[in-house]
Amino acid sequence: MRVANVYDINAKTYLIKLSRSGGETGESQKVVDFTFGSGDAAYHLILELYSSGNVILTVETDRRTRVSPNVLALGPGNYADCNYNILTLLRSYKDETKGVATMANHPYPIEGVKEPTTCDRATLEAALRAAAAEPTEKGPKTLKQAVGSALAYGPSIVEHCILSAGLKPSAGVEPSLLPPQSDL
């Protein structure tokens, strides 16, 4: 999913329109985390866009003390792997197969959410070589298509990264433009 547009409805209401982008599967990629504030005053509005959907408001807690300046000590449980305490949410649920309970005064199960990934030079070059070796019916794959296959981000972010590097996203990936294998 990606943000397609943000509408300013009135002084207090914004509407965020999301659209599907290619290649996304699984629940872990359908969670959006909006962070408001920082440090001790950081709150997270989490949108779960799978199944029936959910809207969850969390506050960051200190992993060692399990206490936030905004929340009293949390209830029983092991919060060593999680520092998002759920303040309120639209729908509470339990998943017995995963051992997860998503409800107020419990930690949000961030371990089930896909972590941001990095892309090293070797991975990026391998994706560019694969794209150069497999042209489409219309000609060579574009730089945007090649880089998009190497990264776990939507096309808008990929295009932004390519433009930030001073390149054209629509440029074709030609084998002659790639460095020789020995330069790796």
Side-chain angles (χ1 to χ4, degrees):
M1 302 292 280
R2 66 180 181 84
V3 175
N5 208 343
V6 178
Y7 300 96
D8 185 359
I9 304 299
N10 60 40
K12 295 183 179 182
T13 306
Y14 290 93
L15 175 67
I16 301 172
K17 181 180 178 185
L18 302 172
S19 66
R20 294 188 188 278
S21 56
E24 293 184 1
T25 59
E27 293 179 0
S28 63
Q29 293 181 341
K30 296 181 181 173
V31 175
V32 180
D33 180 0
F34 294 98
T35 304
F36 302 94
S38 62
D40 291 342
Y43 289 87
H44 297 268
L45 182 64
I46 299 171
L47 305 178
E48 294 180 337
L49 304 172
Y50 54 88
S51 187
S52 299
N54 211 350
V55 179
I56 303 167
L57 179 64
T58 69
V59 64
E60 286 194 34
T61 57
D62 187 305
R63 291 180 183 205
R64 291 163 285 145
T65 62
R66 296 186 297 206
V67 175
S68 167
N70 305 312
V71 180
L72 297 176
L74 303 178
N78 179 8
Y79 301 113
D81 296 328
C82 181
N83 66 343
Y84 287 16
N85 182 46
I86 298 174
L87 295 176
T88 188
L89 68 164
L90 188 61
R91 291 182 183 84
S92 297
Y93 60 89
K94 286 185 180 182
D95 186 346
E96 299 295 336
T97 60
K98 295 179 183 176
V100 173
T102 304
M103 55 187 59
N105 293 323
H106 282 73
Y108 181 76
I110 59 174
E111 64 275 357
V113 177
K114 186 175 182 179
E115 290 293 320
T117 59
T118 59
C119 181
D120 61 4
R121 179 180 174 150
T123 303
L124 187 57
E125 286 184 359
L128 292 172
R129 290 189 191 291
E134 301 169 3
T136 65
E137 295 96 28
K138 298 178 183 179
K141 287 187 177 179
T142 66
L143 188 56
K144 183 176 176 180
Q145 290 170 326
V147 173
S149 69
L151 300 175
Y153 301 108
S156 297
I157 293 174
V158 169
E159 184 171 348
H160 172 76
C161 293
I162 294 169
L163 290 170
S164 295
L167 303 170
K168 260 180 91 174
S170 61
V173 179
E174 299 283 348
S176 61
L177 300 176
L178 297 174
Q181 288 277 10
S182 61
D183 289 352
L184 299 177

